Amino acid sequence: MSLVCSISNEVPEHPCISPKSGAIFERRLIEKYIVENECDPINGQPLTADELIDVKTPPIVRPKPPSATSIPATLKTMQDEWDALMLHSFTQRQQLQTARQELSHALYQHDAACRVIARLNKEVAAAREALATLKPQTGISAIQAAPQPAIASEAGGVATQPVEQAGMSAEVIQKLQDKATVLTQERKKKGRTVPEELVSQEKLRGFLTLASHPGLHSASVPGILALDINHSDQSKILTGGNDKNATVFNKDTEQIVAVLKGHTKKVTKVIFHPEEDTVITASPDACIRVWHVPTSQTQLLLRCHEGPVTGLSLHPTGDYVLSTSSDKHWAFSDIRSGRLLTKVADTAEYGLTSAQFHPDGLIFGTGTEDSQVKIWDLKEQSNVANFAGHTGPITAISFSENGYYLATAADDACVKLWDLRKLKNFKTIQLDDGYEVKDLCFDQSGTYLSIAGTDIRVYLCKQWQELKVFNDHTALATGVRFGKHAHYIASTSMDRTLKLYGIE
């Protein structure tokens, strides 16, 4: 009778039977299996070594391997091994030659494919750029033939306006105060109630990428640097690019509404007027331009600074704009008349990097190159508070709609939250080492905070809990904005894309 081990399929030296499955095993192997698994390998039933039943068989006499008992036999064995080795070597050389030929052919095909793909990408980029230029012209060609507004009487739509300060008149100050009073009363009426239409935390966690639009700006100088959404028409999105242009895009029709050309350097700041079809842009060319979107023409050109414009914020009245510059000054201008009302130098003599109005419009914040965040009184034109704690230039600041919180970021991989009532830092969101923050944005209810930089992140305010991270951009994200009631989120990036997130 021949016994075969169920594990090794060899004749066992010490055979035994499992009472659970009735199978034959080599005792040495089955004991090791039981130690590791504590069950029968055939049917998986629990099994211990003590339950194994030995099988008594006569000892196995293994045949001895043949040995070379003479010199001719030894020579014959060596000759056979040599012949086998040569045959194997010949086969290996044939396979190597075949593999070399196949690899050479594959590399040639890959190189040819790469050349074709590069040529096609270049043609697609050129076609997109041409299409982006043609789309706005189809709807406004007749309008552009109309005379320029009187305020932009010079060639090219460049407006003439005095650069000297007109001063903050009592009428202007009263207008600012009246608007602040109305906004404060409206905020008190709202209280702390959250709008019913606001997207819940659970839904926001389920946001997906709904669309990606790479054709808004030129591919020859890639990168979108600024972003804003029209509050009165949520379908219109404004972007500023490295290609010196600003673009108005309709996300619903996926059509470019207007391409605004006029800056001589990249467009780094953009604002969509909340109540009018008007756009405000700023650039390192030291100019601020006010555009009429239907005609794609400059209505007004403000030259308030001697250096690159680094910050731009529209006053809640919709009539005035705040700007900061690396020339160490902030300026407050009238976008209706083009007058520079006041221009104030920062006493620290460091360039300013960002600007943002408080929701009431009577105070505003600026960021500096030496890591300071400064709060200014607009009516008094004075610095009323300073927030220190960052390292590196301030890259973004944003006031919460409730008027209590200020979020700031710098080149130190963190976002700091400040309480404007107590004038202190109450929370620091520490990000990954090397994380770059380029933009901050609260939603209109002050419930969510979004961060744009190495990726796009959304936090729940008060708890400051991370709700969602979007990693779709292939380069640094430069802007992020919430749609109305956070029904969607828009972001821009140096990868030349505008991405939209929401619920499908």
Side-chain angles (χ1 to χ4, degrees), residues 15-29:
C16 61
I17 297 176
S18 168
K20 303 295 184 179
S21 62
I24 300 292
F25 299 100
E26 171 67 58
R27 174 171 282 277
R28 171 176 51 83
L29 296 179

Side-chain angles (χ1 to χ4, degrees), residues 285-304:
D285 63 8
C287 293
I288 299 169
R289 289 178 178 265
V290 182
W291 305 82
H292 184 237
V293 174
T295 60
S296 302
Q297 296 298 314
T298 301
Q299 284 183 314
L300 197 68
L301 188 143
L302 302 172
R303 296 184 183 273
C304 308

Side-chain angles (χ1 to χ4, degrees), residues 91-109:
T91 305
Q92 290 291 92
R93 286 199 303 270
Q94 281 187 323
Q95 293 176 350
L96 177 60
Q97 181 64 23
T98 303
R100 281 178 174 172
Q101 291 177 349
E102 292 177 351
L103 177 61
S104 176
H105 184 64
L107 290 175
Y108 175 78
Q109 288 182 324

Side-chain angles (χ1 to χ4, degrees), residues 40 58 67 83 129 139 172 202 224 253 292 294 326 343 349 366 386 412 441 448 450 453 459 462:
D40 191 296
S67 59
D83 292 344
E129 186 173 354
V172 171
E202 291 74 18
I224 301 178
T253 62
H292 184 237
S326 58
K343 184 177 179 180
E349 295 191 356
T366 62
N386 292 330
D412 53 6
C441 179
Y448 303 119
S450 187
Y459 288 81
K462 296 184 180 179

Side-chain angles (χ1 to χ4, degrees), residues 14 44 66 102 140 308 360 397 472:
H14 301 287
E102 292 177 351
I140 62 175
D360 290 343
I397 62 176
D472 294 42

Side-chain angles (χ1 to χ4, degrees), residues 66-102:
S67 59
T69 56
S70 65
I71 292 178
T74 302
L75 291 176
K76 180 66 169 60
T77 302
M78 295 177 64
Q79 182 66 49
D80 292 342
E81 292 181 357
W82 174 259
D83 292 344
L85 178 61
M86 289 299 99
L87 181 60
H88 180 70
S89 176
F90 175 75
T91 305
Q92 290 291 92
R93 286 199 303 270
Q94 281 187 323
Q95 293 176 350
L96 177 60
Q97 181 64 23
T98 303
R100 281 178 174 172
Q101 291 177 349
E102 292 177 351

Side-chain angles (χ1 to χ4, degrees), residues 172-232:
V172 171
I173 293 176
Q174 186 60 45
K175 187 175 181 180
L176 301 180
Q177 183 63 57
D178 292 344
K179 185 64 175 179
T181 302
V182 172
L183 292 173
T184 302
Q185 291 174 349
E186 289 179 355
R187 186 175 298 110
K188 288 182 179 179
K189 288 181 181 178
K190 293 179 183 177
R192 298 184 179 181
T193 59
V194 176
E196 295 180 359
E197 301 88 349
L198 184 70
V199 168
S200 65
Q201 303 172 34
E202 291 74 18
K203 288 184 178 180
L204 198 147
R205 285 192 178 97
F207 271 22
L208 302 171
T209 303
L210 301 180
S212 180
H213 302 285
L216 305 186
H217 291 269
S218 172
S220 59
V221 189
I224 301 178
L225 306 176
L227 169 69
D228 199 17
I229 296 175
N230 189 335
H231 290 289
S232 59

Side-chain angles (χ1 to χ4, degrees), residues 159-166 301-304 337-341:
T160 58
Q161 79 279 340
V163 293
E164 67 271 7
Q165 301 180 38
L301 188 143
L302 302 172
R303 296 184 183 273
C304 308
S337 64
R339 292 183 304 164
L340 170 62
L341 299 182

